[in-house]
Amino acid sequence: MFDRPVGTGERALLVHIELPVSAHQSSSSSSDGLLQKAASLRDEAQSEFYDLVLSAGAEPLSFIKGKRVKPEPKYFIGTGKAQEVKDAVKFYEADLVLVNHQLTPAQERNLEIMLQCRVLDRTGLILDIFAQRARSHEGKLQVELAQLSHMTTRLVRGWTHLERQKGGIGLRGPGETQLETDRRLLGMRIKQLNKRLEKVRKQREQSRRSRQRAELPTVSLVGYTNAGKSTLFNQLTKSSVYAADQLFATLDPTLRRVELPKNLSMVLADTVGFISDLPHDLVEAFHATLLETREADLLLHVIDAHAENRDKHIAEVNSVLQQIGAEETPQLLVYNKADLLKDQKPRIEYDSSGNILRVWLSAANNDGLDLLLESISEFFGKNRVQKKLNVPARAGQWRAILYEQVDILEEEYNEKGDWLVSIETTSRDFDNLLKKAGFSDLLIEEKTVDTAE
């Protein structure tokens, strides 16, 4: 379908153009602070781009940087900088040029014509990484949909054959051009992918309904990419999900059941990490996967405590959560990698009302995980209640059920040989017990104590 410029290697030139962060940076009252903040953001953007390139498997040859007040319409990076890049491509014999910005289709086309090599913008680079990481059938479908949606706007690039009508015996004369054919084929494929993903969404919805019927709360790990979510997931679930010190190590969601203190259980979901300027096509394509986050009862917002711009990372994650409609879901902030900071020990921090605000831990060292489980248990156990039951001697099956499903605080016998059992459980689990035939006859109402008060 495409005639790309010659060269299929991975030797890459990196290009980053510094643009003004905001129009109010010239404020005289805090100019030094703003300049320092801008420099920090610039350094992080370049470092993150370099990590993206390495994650994609490319070999960085040189990092070409520049400054502009605003992007240039034709090349984005400017004519002079484009000539500098062209000279570098020839000198280093580069196979492709990676630009740390979102380019328009026309800008990519113009740069490829001038540089005579492949040009990929930030969005295309992230899509390529996702294509490498996808392992499940669902993940591959989602990545392909995102790639095709991105590609449809880039059919008119440096290839003039696309604008010609097809030639040859039986193909001459009026009819659709090659470009129109390619657009039609892409449109058909996108429709097929959407239908397949709709089936995946229905399957996921059935799984969610099954968990709801089982009264299992869902907890979803979210956070900036490479914050340590998969390492934390493995430690909590005793699993072996792929975890590495690289961006987007996790792409396909994984769910596992985890036992909590106080006889509670949850389903923990490990999801894809977020990043600044996450392509909109990816957010749309991964709608089915991100539903696990939107429908969760609690979000564990994993934060790299050692990152210099962790506040910016938090803001980026919250921005994506807002895009998918999960901004109202309760969050528990989990500051990971505390071992890399001085005088930071695993601990729980509370707000003025006594609610858990954040948990500090080190997933890699397995420090503080008990505090996290305790915090999650406390969150889901806010509405725990204590009840006293009278279980007749002939109803031994009820005693077995209680030992299996609730916490037994105290047990004694009366003169009839019946069991007097004091239990503690959540309001929701106790309501489920009440629905079972005969359970309500066991309850001694006047002994009810609500621990949430």
Side-chain angles (χ1 to χ4, degrees), residues 197-375:
L197 284 173
E198 184 60 32
K199 292 182 180 179
V200 173
R201 293 188 183 106
K202 291 180 180 179
Q203 292 171 353
R204 284 196 171 275
E205 185 60 33
Q206 290 176 351
S207 299
R208 271 191 293 272
R209 284 199 295 267
S210 298
R211 293 198 298 269
Q212 290 171 356
R213 284 195 297 269
E215 300 298 334
L216 282 176
T218 300
V219 177
S220 182
L221 292 170
V222 299
Y224 210 75
T225 181
N226 205 30
K229 296 182 298 300
S230 294
T231 301
L232 179 60
F233 181 87
N234 287 335
Q235 295 282 25
L236 292 175
T237 63
K238 310 302 179 186
S239 301
S240 56
V241 171
Y242 179 69
D245 186 17
Q246 61 184 19
L247 303 184
F248 299 119
T250 301
L251 182 58
D252 299 311
T254 308
L255 289 84
R256 294 287 188 276
R257 178 169 176 152
V258 178
E259 300 300 325
L260 298 171
K262 297 184 179 180
N263 204 41
L264 296 175
S265 301
M266 69 173 180
V267 173
L268 185 64
D270 186 20
T271 58
V272 62
F274 301 148
I275 196 171
S276 60
D277 301 322
L278 188 66
H280 181 72
D281 291 336
L282 278 180
V283 176
E284 287 295 317
F286 278 74
H287 179 75
T289 299
L290 295 174
L291 272 179
E292 295 293 348
T293 298
R294 196 180 73 183
E295 300 295 333
D297 298 290
L298 174 66
L299 300 180
L300 296 184
H301 186 161
V302 183
I303 301 160
D304 183 353
H306 188 251
E308 294 183 2
N309 293 297
R310 67 189 188 196
D311 291 338
K312 176 177 176 289
H313 293 174
I314 294 173
E316 292 287 354
V317 171
N318 288 330
S319 175
V320 178
L321 291 176
Q322 187 174 10
Q323 289 183 53
I324 64 176
E327 69 274 14
E328 298 298 329
T329 305
Q331 283 190 30
L332 176 60
L333 301 181
V334 180
Y335 281 73
N336 188 27
K337 306 183 184 181
D339 57 304
L340 300 180
L341 300 174
K342 292 183 179 180
D343 302 325
Q344 289 288 357
K345 296 181 179 179
R347 68 187 189 278
I348 301 176
E349 289 187 9
Y350 297 86
D351 61 16
S352 57
S353 302
N355 298 316
I356 296 176
L357 189 60
R358 58 180 67 90
V359 179
W360 294 77
L361 53 80
S362 171
N365 294 342
N366 203 14
D367 290 336
L369 299 189
D370 54 335
L371 300 177
L372 178 60
L373 292 175
E374 178 185 330
S375 302

Side-chain angles (χ1 to χ4, degrees), residues 57-69:
E59 177 189 350
L61 301 173
S62 179
F63 207 141
I64 300 176
K65 306 170 185 177
K67 291 184 179 180
R68 289 194 63 84
V69 177

Side-chain angles (χ1 to χ4, degrees), residues 14-300:
L14 282 54
V15 179
H16 175 84
I17 302 298
E18 181 185 343
L19 299 170
V21 177
S22 60
H24 62 270
Q25 283 188 350
S26 58
S27 172
S28 57
S29 59
S30 58
S31 59
D32 293 340
L34 286 171
L35 288 174
Q36 185 177 1
K37 181 178 180 180
S40 176
L41 292 174
R42 179 184 69 243
D43 293 342
E44 185 196 16
Q46 295 174 10
S47 175
E48 186 177 85
F49 181 52
Y50 192 84
D51 289 341
L52 280 172
V53 173
L54 293 179
S55 296
E59 177 189 350
L61 301 173
S62 179
F63 207 141
I64 300 176
K65 306 170 185 177
K67 291 184 179 180
R68 289 194 63 84
V69 177
K70 62 180 181 180
E72 192 225 12
K74 185 174 183 180
Y75 295 119
F76 186 94
I77 62 177
T79 304
K81 186 61 65 175
Q83 183 60 49
E84 180 184 342
V85 174
K86 182 178 181 180
D87 295 339
V89 168
K90 185 176 181 179
F91 178 80
Y92 289 103
E93 297 181 350
D95 302 310
L96 73 157
V97 173
L98 300 173
V99 183
N100 190 25
H101 304 277
Q102 291 188 3
L103 303 177
T104 66
Q107 288 167 345
E108 282 193 21
R109 178 192 63 207
N110 293 335
L111 282 172
E112 286 195 344
I113 291 174
M114 180 178 185
L115 305 179
Q116 286 300 296
C117 74
R118 287 186 297 150
V119 175
L120 210 59
D121 68 353
R122 179 185 177 87
T123 299
L125 179 62
I126 294 176
L127 285 170
D128 184 81
I129 296 173
F130 271 52
Q132 295 181 47
R133 300 282 190 271
R135 293 293 180 268
S136 69
H137 175 66
E138 176 190 0
K140 292 176 181 179
L141 288 177
Q142 292 176 130
V143 171
E144 185 180 356
L145 177 60
Q147 286 180 317
L148 293 182
S149 299
H150 181 69
M151 194 182 298
T152 51
T153 62
R154 283 160 167 76
L155 282 179
V156 183
R157 295 169 64 115
W159 308 288
T160 55
H161 81 283
L162 293 176
E163 300 172 359
R164 296 196 299 267
Q165 290 183 352
K166 291 175 288 188
I169 297 175
L171 295 175
R172 296 187 181 91
E176 62 182 12
T177 63
Q178 183 66 46
L179 176 61
E180 291 168 338
T181 301
D182 292 340
R183 281 177 175 162
R184 178 170 54 82
L185 293 174
L186 280 179
M188 292 171 58
R189 181 59 179 167
I190 288 174
K191 287 182 180 179
Q192 291 176 351
L193 290 174
N194 280 320
K195 287 182 179 179
R196 293 184 182 181
L197 284 173
E198 184 60 32
K199 292 182 180 179
V200 173
R201 293 188 183 106
K202 291 180 180 179
Q203 292 171 353
R204 284 196 171 275
E205 185 60 33
Q206 290 176 351
S207 299
R208 271 191 293 272
R209 284 199 295 267
S210 298
R211 293 198 298 269
Q212 290 171 356
R213 284 195 297 269
E215 300 298 334
L216 282 176
T218 300
V219 177
S220 182
L221 292 170
V222 299
Y224 210 75
T225 181
N226 205 30
K229 296 182 298 300
S230 294
T231 301
L232 179 60
F233 181 87
N234 287 335
Q235 295 282 25
L236 292 175
T237 63
K238 310 302 179 186
S239 301
S240 56
V241 171
Y242 179 69
D245 186 17
Q246 61 184 19
L247 303 184
F248 299 119
T250 301
L251 182 58
D252 299 311
T254 308
L255 289 84
R256 294 287 188 276
R257 178 169 176 152
V258 178
E259 300 300 325
L260 298 171
K262 297 184 179 180
N263 204 41
L264 296 175
S265 301
M266 69 173 180
V267 173
L268 185 64
D270 186 20
T271 58
V272 62
F274 301 148
I275 196 171
S276 60
D277 301 322
L278 188 66
H280 181 72
D281 291 336
L282 278 180
V283 176
E284 287 295 317
F286 278 74
H287 179 75
T289 299
L290 295 174
L291 272 179
E292 295 293 348
T293 298
R294 196 180 73 183
E295 300 295 333
D297 298 290
L298 174 66
L299 300 180
L300 296 184

Side-chain angles (χ1 to χ4, degrees), residues 368-421:
L369 299 189
D370 54 335
L371 300 177
L372 178 60
L373 292 175
E374 178 185 330
S375 302
I376 299 172
S377 181
E378 183 174 331
F379 174 83
F380 289 117
K382 286 181 179 179
N383 296 321
R384 291 180 70 84
V385 293
Q386 292 180 359
K387 306 286 185 179
K388 193 165 186 179
L389 310 174
N390 184 0
V391 182
R394 65 180 184 277
Q397 75 277 11
W398 272 113
R399 184 170 178 267
I401 291 174
L402 292 175
Y403 267 92
E404 181 181 343
Q405 298 187 9
V406 301
D407 288 334
I408 305 298
L409 303 179
E410 185 181 4
E411 184 182 41
E412 57 185 355
Y413 300 92
N414 62 15
E415 64 279 2
K416 297 180 181 180
D418 298 339
W419 290 291
L420 297 178
V421 185

